[in-house]
Amino acid sequence: SRRQENLMPFRMIECCPVCGSKLIKGDNEAEHYCKNPDCGGRILEGIIHFASRVAMDIEGLGEKQIELLYNLGYLKDIADIYLLENYKQEILLLDRFGDKKVSNLFNAINKSKTQDLDRFIFGLGIRFVGAKASKSLAKTFKTLKNICNATYEELISIPDIGEVMASSIVDYFNQEKNRDLIIKLLELGVEPKEYNEVTFDLFSGKTIVLTGTLEKLSRDEGNAIIEKLGGKVSSSVSKKTSYVLAGEEAGSKLTKAQSLGVQVISEK
């Protein structure tokens, strides 16, 4: 109602701006997406997602670094991350890639080889599978091999996994290309840690809300610590909230916690 009358109506583009494939949008979906598995845009974004903090958490391999290494041909898929040392001398010649930075990068890459199983599954970018579902898969099946071989019936029995997601998971691991990618990752020394039940349940049965900016932890790192200690992370404050973890410049959530008498704790 606030648009000026002379403005052109918005029209969604019909083709992928990278590969030219026709964009697809499901009946109950919000996003248009490119379905071409060989699309350069999809491959690049897949590598960025895999290395991101919420997935494999490879420090020093951010979006800009990945775009540069991808354009130079050093990264063609996520497995190539673990072959970057083959280009060490070439990478050292690039702008903003000094000895110390490159050394730290390779250390971070090697460290990620034993990342938690749920983060590895999330990093694969399986359609419809988010961080919560990845954690449920890791908790239920314990190992990567078990997840790869899970049947539709086994998946659909998990509370957080619906029919669409179960079908997507089965389809992903049935594709030869994806199976080959996982085999390649394993051959390169990637061994995701098996899921372990919480042994120190400090926050068992507790619901915690994070607000403001934390000094030493990212929001995702804070969430991970709470969940490992048996707690549940929520995005809103209510009478059922056990604690509010308040960082710098905490706003309305802190105010609501104080008004409800919810205990506020610090990052320390």
Side-chain angles (χ1 to χ4, degrees):
S1 61
R2 291 181 292 174
R3 286 174 60 87
Q4 298 174 14
E5 291 184 5
N6 61 343
L7 292 179
M8 290 287 290
F10 172 77
R11 183 180 177 185
M12 184 64 190
I13 59 172
E14 297 180 355
C15 297
C16 172
V18 178
C19 73
S21 299
K22 189 172 180 63
L23 295 177
I24 295 172
K25 178 178 177 296
D27 293 336
N28 298 315
E29 296 176 334
E31 297 94 352
H32 293 72
Y33 65 96
C34 172
K35 201 173 181 180
N36 175 17
D38 298 317
C39 171
R42 284 190 57 178
I43 294 170
L44 174 60
E45 291 298 330
I47 299 171
I48 292 170
H49 172 70
F50 183 82
S52 68
R53 272 192 168 190
V54 293
M56 298 297 275
D57 192 20
I58 303 177
E59 191 172 351
L61 198 60
E63 186 172 340
K64 290 182 179 179
Q65 290 82 10
I66 291 173
E67 285 183 359
L68 175 61
L69 297 172
Y70 176 82
N71 290 331
L72 289 170
Y74 302 156
L75 290 175
K76 301 181 186 68
D77 60 30
I78 59 176
D80 283 345
I81 290 172
Y82 301 98
L83 291 171
L84 280 177
E85 280 203 71
N86 294 340
Y87 302 100
K88 182 175 180 179
Q89 297 307 316
E90 291 87 343
I91 293 173
L92 284 168
L93 296 175
L94 300 174
D95 288 341
R96 300 181 181 178
F97 278 94
D99 286 339
K100 186 175 181 180
K101 186 172 182 179
V102 171
S103 177
N104 290 339
L105 171 60
F106 290 142
N107 286 337
I109 289 173
N110 286 324
K111 182 181 176 182
S112 75
K113 289 180 178 180
T114 54
Q115 183 57 271
D116 292 339
L117 177 58
D118 61 300
R119 283 173 168 258
F120 176 82
I121 293 298
F122 182 47
L124 292 176
I126 304 170
R127 188 155 171 74
F128 303 119
V129 179
K132 184 177 180 181
S134 298
K135 194 176 292 293
S136 294
L137 288 170
K139 182 177 181 179
T140 303
F141 296 105
K142 309 296 184 185
T143 69
L144 176 59
K145 182 179 179 181
N146 289 342
I147 295 174
C148 290
N149 295 326
T151 65
Y152 175 84
E153 289 71 24
E154 289 173 328
L155 291 165
I156 202 70
S157 67
I158 302 171
D160 293 330
I161 309 290
E163 295 178 3
V164 174
M165 194 186 298
S167 295
S168 179
I169 294 167
V170 171
D171 179 62
Y172 179 89
F173 289 114
N174 279 342
Q175 292 183 37
E176 185 177 358
K177 181 180 179 180
N178 296 331
R179 285 270 187 177
D180 290 343
L181 176 64
I182 290 172
I183 290 171
K184 185 179 177 183
L185 285 164
L186 294 175
E187 289 175 343
L188 290 169
V190 178
E191 295 182 15
K193 285 188 290 189
E194 294 183 16
Y195 183 86
N196 291 313
E197 293 286 353
V198 174
T199 54
F200 182 42
D201 55 355
L202 177 68
F203 293 139
S204 179
K206 306 292 185 182
T207 300
I208 302 176
V209 175
L210 281 71
T211 182
T213 303
L214 303 182
E215 181 184 355
K216 295 183 179 179
L217 300 172
S218 69
R219 184 65 61 89
D220 292 321
E221 289 168 338
N223 289 345
I225 290 172
I226 291 167
E227 290 174 351
K228 282 184 177 180
L229 295 177
K232 177 184 176 183
V233 179
S234 177
S235 59
S236 58
V237 180
S238 70
K239 290 182 179 179
K240 295 181 179 180
T241 303
S242 307
Y243 304 105
V244 166
L245 170 56
E248 292 295 323
E249 299 181 3
S252 58
K253 292 179 183 178
L254 175 59
T255 303
K256 187 171 182 180
Q258 292 168 335
S259 68
L260 293 174
V262 174
Q263 186 174 348
V264 178
I265 59 176
S266 68
E267 179 179 3
K268 184 178 179 181

